[in-house]
Amino acid sequence: MHRRRGAIVATALFVAALFGAGPVAAADWRAEFRELRFGITSAENESDTLARWDSFAQHMQRKLGVRVTVHRGSDYAAVVEALHSRRIEFARMGPAAYARAIQVMGDGIVPIARDMDMDGAVGYHSVIVVRADSPLRTIEDLRGKSLAFADPNSASGFQAPAYFLTQSGKAPASFFGRTGFAGNHETAVLAVTNRQFDAAATWWNNAQRSNVSRMEEKKMIEPGAVRVVWTSPMIPNSPWVMRRLPADLAKAYTDALLSLPAEAPEVWNRLVDGKMLKTVPAAAADYVDMVRMIEQNQRARRGS
């Protein structure tokens, strides 16, 4: 009995150390947090994004017993700033935005989970797409052409292609004739189909789940309107994160999030188009390479 009690105490101390609980954590967290705010980035158009997350907010509200609201950042950096300034408690953001948040918040931001796809993969890719009827077939064909990025804080929409292309001797500033930021992934692809840019960088999990396939399903583009001419090495899947919070709140939210796919599959499948299996625990160590990538890109942009 004493041994079991000691194990329970040790576990409690571990959770407190992980999430930074202080003396006030002994009281129920609901006394301090009457509302929990969740931030999402601007990867999709606003109406589509909020509709997809509404059922998530309702589910978490039922699980946690307080109001849960979803807030869409005007860009990726806005979500980082909202966490830093304590205007939201939780978020789901791309790995590059998370790496940027580490630079701003240090260990004040905590990764909780990342998604696993049906094949067991916990990463995705950046791809560069062109119109299906374009004569451009390879990345080399894009020399001197125009490329639309999504957002400067997007991993697949800017940071990964900028990094990996530079590593292969194709630094975007000198390799392409023109580059620009479209604002989000959907707008970047539309800039290609509307002939405003020759190519665009966007995200791609696999042939069944990508920004392109989602846009086809939403009838924003015709099926087969674009094709891939370049694919990056794997990038770690977008983390679900929180700012450092009382241990009991952190545990309640983490438990609810990790159990979501099994407890509310209809909510989960709406979020992931039915093409992700579940969430799995994530750690800061999963994103060390992404942090290095961001730092290298920053040095490159400063010319150092």
Side-chain angles (χ1 to χ4, degrees):
M1 182 68 178
H2 292 298
R3 187 176 302 167
R4 183 182 175 200
R5 184 176 302 154
I8 293 172
V9 171
T11 300
L13 290 173
F14 170 77
V15 171
L18 177 63
F19 294 115
V24 298
D28 183 32
W29 58 265
R30 294 172 185 83
E32 179 182 354
F33 295 87
R34 303 300 178 89
E35 175 184 339
L36 297 174
R37 300 158 296 181
F38 187 93
I40 53 178
T41 58
S42 55
E44 297 179 73
N45 292 324
E46 183 171 7
S47 60
D48 298 327
T49 303
L50 294 178
R52 294 169 64 82
W53 287 92
D54 181 61
S55 57
F56 168 80
Q58 292 179 31
H59 173 78
M60 297 301 279
Q61 187 165 299
R62 288 191 296 270
K63 289 285 291 183
L64 299 172
V66 296
R67 186 181 183 214
V68 176
T69 55
V70 176
H71 304 266
R72 178 181 183 269
S74 57
D75 56 23
Y76 287 49
V79 178
V80 174
E81 176 53 33
L83 283 165
H84 185 222
S85 60
R86 304 171 67 87
R87 287 183 283 116
I88 59 175
E89 284 68 53
F90 308 98
R92 185 172 185 274
M93 56 177 55
Y98 167 65
R100 175 61 182 144
I102 291 176
Q103 292 182 320
V104 175
M105 299 175 65
D107 63 1
I109 184 167
V110 181
I112 307 167
R114 54 175 168 165
D115 302 342
M116 174 184 287
D117 71 19
M118 299 299 185
D119 297 323
V122 289
Y124 69 117
H125 302 275
S126 171
V127 295
I128 292 178
V129 299
V130 299
R131 284 178 60 94
D133 60 2
S134 170
L136 305 170
R137 296 285 172 183
T138 68
I139 189 66
E140 186 59 41
D141 292 338
L142 284 172
R143 185 181 296 274
K145 305 298 183 181
S146 57
L147 175 69
F149 290 118
D151 182 282
N153 288 303
S154 167
S156 57
F158 175 66
Q159 296 290 347
Y163 176 80
F164 289 118
L165 288 173
T166 298
Q167 294 299 301
S168 66
K170 298 177 176 63
S174 56
F175 181 77
F176 298 102
R178 175 171 63 98
T179 62
F181 290 105
N184 64 48
H185 287 268
E186 292 179 341
T187 307
V189 172
L190 289 175
V192 172
T193 59
N194 293 334
R195 302 181 186 276
Q196 297 166 308
F197 280 82
D198 296 308
T202 190
W203 63 269
W204 182 283
N205 281 85
N206 48 53
Q208 291 71 47
R209 185 173 191 265
S210 67
N211 180 46
V212 171
S213 65
R214 179 176 287 177
M215 292 178 70
E216 290 175 347
E217 290 165 4
K218 293 195 295 187
K219 302 187 184 307
M220 297 180 69
I221 58 174
E222 292 294 324
V226 298
R227 55 181 166 77
V228 175
V229 297
W230 178 84
T231 302
S232 78
M234 185 169 280
I235 307 164
N237 271 346
S238 299
W240 301 72
V241 304
M242 61 185 170
R243 59 182 173 87
R244 197 160 290 276
L245 295 165
D248 52 351
L249 169 54
K251 184 179 186 308
Y253 178 81
T254 300
D255 289 348
L257 177 61
L258 291 174
S259 65
L260 171 62
E263 283 193 4
E266 70 287 351
V267 174
W268 173 250
N269 287 330
R270 186 175 187 188
L271 281 179
V272 300
D273 306 322
K275 296 168 184 174
M276 283 287 179
L277 182 62
K278 61 181 179 179
T279 56
V280 296
D286 298 326
Y287 298 91
V288 169
D289 289 342
M290 180 57 62
V291 173
R292 291 172 179 159
M293 183 184 299
I294 297 295
E295 292 172 347
Q296 176 59 41
N297 285 341
Q298 289 173 335
R299 286 194 293 270
R301 294 182 77 177
R302 291 194 299 264
S304 60

